[in-house]
């Protein structure tokens, strides 16, 4: 699944990115690394960019960049706990 497909309120684990080296480095500097939990928290009125929460920090990523990040979607139970926990 791609990060750009994650709906607001959904969570995933960063698995791989296929971005250019410059953008990869920018996201790494923000803690956007393989194995990290990420949550889509807000979408702009126009739909692009989307705000994501990573390691307690919220930042915006353009859809074209988010489409190049592969994630593993986290399933959440009805009680709000992670199904994978």
């Amino acid at each position: 699944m791609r990060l750009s497909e994650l709906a607001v309120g959904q969570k995933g684990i960063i698995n791989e990115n296929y971005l250019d080296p410059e953008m990869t480095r920018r996201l790494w500097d923000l803690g956007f690394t393989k194995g990290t939990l990420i949550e889509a928290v807000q979408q702009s009125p126009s739909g692009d960019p989307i705000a994501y929460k990573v390691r307690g920090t919220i930042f915006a990523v353009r859809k074209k960049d988010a489409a190049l990040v592969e994630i593993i979607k986290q399933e959440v139970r009805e009680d709000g706990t992670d199904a994978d926990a």
Side-chain angles (χ1 to χ4, degrees):
M1 174 179 198
R2 298 300 176 158
L3 181 58
S4 59
E5 299 171 44
L6 201 63
V8 172
Q10 292 182 327
K11 297 178 183 179
I13 301 290
I14 299 169
N15 188 46
E16 190 67 61
N17 85 62
Y18 303 98
L19 297 159
D20 64 74
E22 183 179 330
M23 188 60 162
T24 295
R25 177 57 192 250
R26 284 183 184 175
L27 293 179
W28 282 352
D29 289 346
L30 294 169
F32 200 95
T33 56
K34 186 173 183 171
T36 301
L37 182 67
I38 187 166
E39 178 182 1
V41 293
Q42 188 175 3
Q43 188 171 12
S44 71
S46 67
D48 193 23
I50 299 174
Y52 297 97
K53 184 175 183 180
V54 175
R55 300 178 190 230
T57 301
I58 297 173
F59 60 95
V61 177
R62 291 175 287 197
K63 275 190 173 182
K64 71 177 188 103
D65 293 324
L68 296 173
V69 177
E70 182 181 290
I71 63 164
I72 301 166
K73 184 178 172 188
Q74 291 294 113
E75 299 299 327
V76 178
R77 296 183 189 114
E78 287 184 25
D79 65 2
T81 60
D82 288 338
D84 297 331

